[in-house]
Amino acid sequence: MADSFPASRTDPIRSRYLDLVRRRQLYSGLTLTIFAVLMASGFGLANDRNAGGFLDGIGNIFAFPANVIEEAAAKIADMPANLLRFFPALVETVNIAAVSTLVGGTAGFALALLSTRGLAPWALAIPLFRRAMDVMRAVPEIVIALVLIYVLGGGPVPAMIAIAFHTAGALGKLFSEVNENADLKPVEGLASVGAGWAQRMWLGVVPQVAPNYLSYALLRFEINIRASAILGFVGAGGLGYELKNAMSWGQGRFDQAAAIFLLLFAAIVVFDQVSSHVRDRLTKGAAA
């Protein structure tokens, strides 16, 4: 074997390979350096524009949590009453997340079928539906919610619409990727007996992809619970709105803020565990 490949023939290959490795390392180093410079300059600019400066105030980073814990501990007897008081707001937050997931998931299901190669009824319109989903994912929920609150006023409806809009783009993208892995033989068989497009999708594709669809929808539901709580800070109702009021009031209502934090944390943990269990059952057939 050594006689078949003398050093005179392998040296140029080895030299070329090492040259490519050194060039890649150089490019990687330059990219990392540029990224570090941009991060440093961006942090410096943000620190200069920030009131008081980040570095000057970093020593107070634990001041607010300490005040909340201190006041909550001093008023621990009021904690059960506060939890009951804000429980309806938690229900409202979960309802916003559930409705937005249902509406957004339904729209994402339709967009996914219309944007999947080999399944879409109008091949020329696939790029149009894909770009529409890109726009839906690109616009943050809080921007949509602010616009809708200006038009419709505060409440859960603007939050639901904003989250559903973003969810449609996100789930549409995920669903379309699942569709691309579906077996087309059932679809072709249904087409051979005269089934329409909707029948081919419902009977030939949906049974294959339904477990993954539900898994992604449950994952999105978890994300939407957090999103609905955040949108409450801009007047969209739910726990976020109550938390904003408690934090804005300041000292004297920190015990209420602590109760809201506990409710939100407990809800996220519970729904995370339940949805993880259901996703494992759907994708693996048994709990993890």
Side-chain angles (χ1 to χ4, degrees):
M1 181 66 67
D3 295 336
S4 302
F5 298 97
S8 60
R9 296 180 58 184
T10 58
D11 284 347
I13 299 175
R14 182 173 182 273
S15 176
R16 177 62 177 168
Y17 172 75
L18 293 176
D19 181 57
L20 291 174
V21 170
R22 285 192 294 268
R23 185 178 302 176
R24 184 178 65 178
Q25 291 174 344
L26 175 62
Y27 290 157
S28 299
L30 288 174
T31 302
L32 183 61
T33 301
I34 294 173
F35 176 77
V37 171
L38 291 175
M39 286 291 293
S41 61
F43 177 81
L45 179 62
N47 186 61
D48 293 339
R49 293 186 176 182
N50 185 42
F54 176 78
L55 295 177
D56 296 334
I58 196 171
N60 300 321
I61 191 171
F62 296 111
F64 176 74
N67 290 335
V68 171
I69 294 173
E70 181 181 357
E71 185 167 334
K75 299 180 179 179
I76 191 66
D78 297 332
M79 184 60 68
N82 286 330
L83 292 175
L84 289 175
R85 175 184 175 183
F86 296 111
F87 185 78
L90 172 63
V91 174
E92 185 178 22
T93 296
V94 175
N95 285 339
I96 293 172
V99 174
S100 59
T101 303
L102 179 61
V103 174
T106 303
F109 168 71
L111 289 169
L113 293 177
L114 295 172
S115 62
T116 303
R117 297 180 183 88
L119 298 179
W122 310 294
L124 295 177
I126 290 177
L128 176 63
F129 290 113
R130 287 181 177 269
R131 298 299 77 78
M133 291 190 293
D134 291 341
V135 172
M136 290 177 174
R137 295 195 304 275
V139 181
E141 297 102 321
I142 193 168
V143 174
I144 305 172
L146 287 171
V147 174
L148 292 174
I149 288 173
Y150 178 78
V151 176
L152 302 175
V157 174
M160 185 275 295
I161 297 175
I163 298 174
F165 185 81
H166 194 274
T167 298
L171 288 182
K173 172 66 174 177
L174 294 173
F175 289 171
S176 65
E177 293 178 353
V178 173
N179 291 343
E180 290 176 354
N181 297 321
D183 186 5
L184 297 182
K185 291 181 180 178
V187 178
E188 295 170 355
L190 289 167
S192 66
V193 296
W197 180 80
Q199 293 173 318
R200 297 197 301 270
M201 297 302 102
W202 185 253
L203 300 176
V205 177
V206 172
Q208 299 182 59
V209 300
N212 286 324
Y213 272 20
L214 292 174
S215 177
Y216 282 130
L218 287 171
L219 178 61
R220 191 69 202 182
F221 175 59
E222 298 174 28
I223 298 172
N224 288 345
I225 291 177
R226 301 175 182 89
S228 61
I230 293 172
L231 292 185
F233 275 82
V234 297
L239 271 184
Y241 180 74
E242 298 292 346
L243 181 60
K244 176 190 175 183
N245 290 338
M247 292 174 62
S248 299
W249 186 268
Q251 200 79 25
R253 289 195 181 180
F254 282 162
D255 59 320
Q256 298 178 9
I260 296 171
F261 277 127
L262 288 176
L263 280 174
L264 184 59
F265 176 76
I268 290 174
V269 170
V270 168
F271 284 106
D272 177 73
Q273 294 298 315
V274 172
S275 62
S276 295
H277 174 76
V278 174
R279 287 200 309 271
D280 288 332
R281 296 282 298 183
L282 289 170
T283 58
K284 301 177 183 177

